[in-house]
Amino acid sequence: MLGSTFYHQTIRKYVAVFGTLFNDINIERKNSSGTVVEKLKVPLAYGPKQKWLLAVQDTTADRKVAATRTPRMGFAMTGVTYDSARKLSTIGRNIAANTSSTSTNMNTMYNPVPYNFDFELFILVKNAEDGTQILEQVLPYFTPEFTVTVNTIPDMNIKADVPILLNSSSVADEYEGDLSTRRTITWTLSFTLKGFIYPNISSGQVIKTIEVNFRIPGEDTEIELPEFIIHEDSTPDTRNYILVDGTNEVIFTLLEDGRRLVLEDGEQYFVLQEDSDNTYRTYNRARIVNESTSDGVADATIKSRYTVVPAPLSATADSDYGFSETFEFFDEGKYNDPTDGGDIAT
């Protein structure tokens, strides 16, 4: 109902990253003279605290399992909440760089949604010294946050800096009971990982050519008034059009007195300037018509065309490239097929 099936394994990566922070902790035990007599690597596994509390209990005939050695550590994700303070623009997009000159597609993705992931880290020991030794190897790195870089979406080249905040730490010493009850000291550290959940990836075409056609409606064709392209600062009362400078040239015939130019139809006369080359020039400014203004204007012939392409054509997103511009003028005019962008032979 909501869209296509996709899975970026983002939450899985967050769990793995969190566990990786604590998978290389060691403790040392010394004798009265300060000599190290034992060095232990503290094992780490995923699971709720109740699982590990049960595992450290002594072996019984009913359980038929061996007690887990301490010290050990465990962690679990305990909740996921939306973080409105880090919300990004809903319509914003990420675009993957096109690094292949033969590629005709590009990947796009809307902005991710911010979520906070709650984690708990459990430290289970049977004596206080082991617990404080592990704790001192963890706390100095969180002030109160520790930032890691996660390769969240490799297909989009997205690597996010993810902060992990230490919220609180508490200790529980279960020493009450008879002499056969095993003592358990449990440190519980609460963390918040500020991550993102990413939407699906869409594929689109790479634009490598921009073409602008300028049309002039025919004089013998009755059409609706065209819509012209205007600037963004235009108002209903004041319209600022995008203008293009132009020059018209008309060749005249010299009269016998050599002081005037006359149109070949003999209806208009103009004074001849001293530096005249028998050409009368008029300067004007033309407005740019929007091709989608109406069917009548769209049917008008193309009189000029402006094309922009990368230079070189084999340039990719990682290349140092410029742009090549081409101006074309058609005396007879051209017709264009809007479906495929090609010219129509007439």
Side-chain angles (χ1 to χ4, degrees), residues 29-279:
R29 290 172 179 166
K30 303 177 181 180
N31 58 21
S32 58
S33 62
T35 304
V36 177
V37 296
E38 187 179 14
K39 185 174 182 179
L40 300 175
K41 180 179 177 64
V42 182
L44 175 72
Y46 185 87
K49 179 169 65 173
Q50 290 75 12
K51 172 183 177 180
W52 303 118
L53 289 175
L54 181 63
V56 297
Q57 294 178 6
D58 289 334
T59 303
T60 64
D62 295 333
R63 294 180 62 228
K64 302 296 184 183
V65 294
T68 301
R69 291 184 57 188
T70 56
R72 70 168 303 111
M73 299 171 64
F75 71 99
M77 185 172 66
T78 59
V80 179
T81 57
Y82 176 73
D83 188 357
S84 59
R86 296 186 292 123
K87 182 182 183 301
L88 302 175
S89 173
T90 305
I91 61 175
R93 286 194 179 191
N94 297 301
I95 301 176
N98 173 30
T99 57
S100 173
S101 59
T102 60
S103 174
T104 58
N105 295 323
M106 67 176 179
N107 294 330
T108 62
M109 172 189 286
Y110 283 103
N111 279 335
V113 184
Y115 277 88
N116 293 335
F117 299 86
D118 297 325
F119 286 89
E120 284 190 344
L121 177 69
F122 317 112
I123 304 173
L124 289 82
V125 294
K126 63 181 179 180
N127 58 71
E129 184 71 13
D130 291 348
T132 55
Q133 190 174 165
I134 295 173
L135 201 64
E136 288 189 12
Q137 297 182 56
V138 174
L139 297 183
Y141 293 97
F142 295 89
T143 58
E145 67 179 29
F146 181 79
T147 303
V148 295
T149 301
V150 183
N151 189 11
T152 49
I153 310 294
D155 292 340
M156 295 290 296
N157 299 321
I158 297 178
K159 295 182 179 181
D161 291 333
V162 179
I164 302 175
L165 283 71
L166 174 61
N167 300 319
S168 62
S169 59
S170 60
V171 61
D173 190 352
E174 300 177 7
Y175 58 87
E176 295 182 353
D178 55 33
L179 296 178
S180 63
T181 303
R182 188 174 182 178
R183 181 190 183 189
T184 303
I185 300 176
T186 307
W187 282 92
T188 303
L189 279 66
S190 175
F191 296 87
T192 298
L193 184 149
K194 292 184 174 293
F196 288 92
I197 298 296
Y198 294 82
N200 63 311
I201 299 175
S202 302
S203 179
Q205 295 293 319
V206 178
I207 299 175
K208 289 192 173 182
T209 302
I210 299 175
E211 185 177 281
V212 180
N213 294 321
F214 298 94
R215 302 174 183 266
I216 300 178
E219 295 179 357
D220 57 348
T221 304
E222 293 184 1
I223 61 173
E224 299 178 2
L225 293 177
E227 296 179 0
F228 297 99
I229 300 176
I230 60 176
H231 287 283
E232 291 184 353
D233 59 357
S234 299
T235 65
D237 298 327
T238 304
R239 296 193 173 213
N240 297 327
Y241 295 98
I242 299 178
L243 303 179
V244 178
D245 291 332
T247 303
N248 295 329
E249 296 186 355
V250 182
I251 305 299
F252 291 84
T253 303
L254 273 173
L255 293 180
E256 292 182 359
D257 59 9
R259 297 300 304 165
R260 290 182 299 167
L261 293 176
V262 62
L263 282 168
E264 291 184 354
D265 59 11
E267 294 182 357
Q268 296 186 33
Y269 294 86
F270 299 88
V271 176
L272 178 65
Q273 302 297 326
E274 295 294 338
D275 57 349
S276 173
D277 56 354
N278 292 2
T279 302

